[in-house]
Amino acid sequence: MECPVPQTVIAGNWKMYKTQREALAFLQAFLPLVSGVPAARELVLCVPFTALVPLADKLQGTSIQLGAQNVHWEDQGAFTGEIAAPMLVELGVRYVVVGHSERRQYFGETDQTVNGRLRAAQAHGLTPILCVGETKQQREAGQIESLIYRQLDQALVGVDPDNLVIAYEPIWAIGTGLTCETQEANRVIGLIRQRVGRPDITIQYGGSVKPGNIDELMAAPEINGVLVGGASLEPESFARIANYC
Ligand code: 13P
């Protein structure tokens, strides 16, 4: 019997960067630079809500998928400042980042709210990118495994692993220029894969991914893609990442 292999997913997370005008300028420069990326690599841009509409229009007919950065667990309601899955689906969004460490740290996201968001995304056919990862203190205290297993076990209750991407993002590596050693990222991602029990699930690495380290990261057997912050903001650097060797 043939074993299905994980899909490679290269995603940019723009966080709270780029107006509509800046997003369109990015795309104009970016598209020609990624025209030769193999079709087996899924490229995703997870952009601010305001950039979804103009990018959706310009991405039609390309192989680049549109992603959002959050989704609420209810389909509608009195939740000021939140966004519902049907609103994203209507715009052509395919992926949504859920449980990013910045949401957990600054906006009170918990494993329970993450779980609700994952379920709502899947219920509407979106593919969530679930972020997990430890702080420097948790790493130094030897708590990586227990922390990540807790994040996974609680977030994944009632969640379909067949429509899910996981991103291992060690918090100390995000925006710091400190990349997790490839071997260590590979090890932790292997643990995540075992815990989820699906050999074919796509698991990304995230945290200071750059043109200078992408080739080594993608050569690691457990790493099926990357979730890129800062280096996804410049067309040249994100294109180099998408065109990894
Ligand atoms: P950087 O690539 O800027 O470290 O950010 C990683 C990240 O948080 C992606 O979600």
Side-chain angles (χ1 to χ4, degrees), residues 25 49 61 111 135 146 160 214 221:
F49 298 129
D111 292 321
T135 62
S146 58
D160 175 8
I214 184 66

Side-chain angles (χ1 to χ4, degrees), residues 13 15 100 102 169 173-175 207-209 227-230:
N13 173 11
K15 308 190 179 184
H100 192 279
E102 287 150 16
E169 296 209 306
I174 294 178
S208 297
V209 175
L227 185 56
V228 187

Side-chain angles (χ1 to χ4, degrees), residues 24-83:
L24 288 171
F26 172 96
L27 203 63
Q28 202 175 18
F30 183 66
L31 285 176
L33 301 176
V34 293
S35 58
V37 171
R41 296 179 193 175
E42 178 103 304
L43 296 188
V44 186
L45 290 172
C46 300
V47 304
F49 298 129
T50 49
L52 290 172
V53 170
L55 287 197
D57 183 41
K58 291 283 189 284
L59 289 177
Q60 275 188 24
T62 77
S63 57
I64 300 175
Q65 301 296 342
L66 195 57
Q69 298 173 17
N70 197 10
V71 64
H72 197 263
W73 49 88
E74 295 290 344
D75 287 358
Q76 59 179 14
F79 300 103
T80 302
E82 288 282 330
I83 194 111

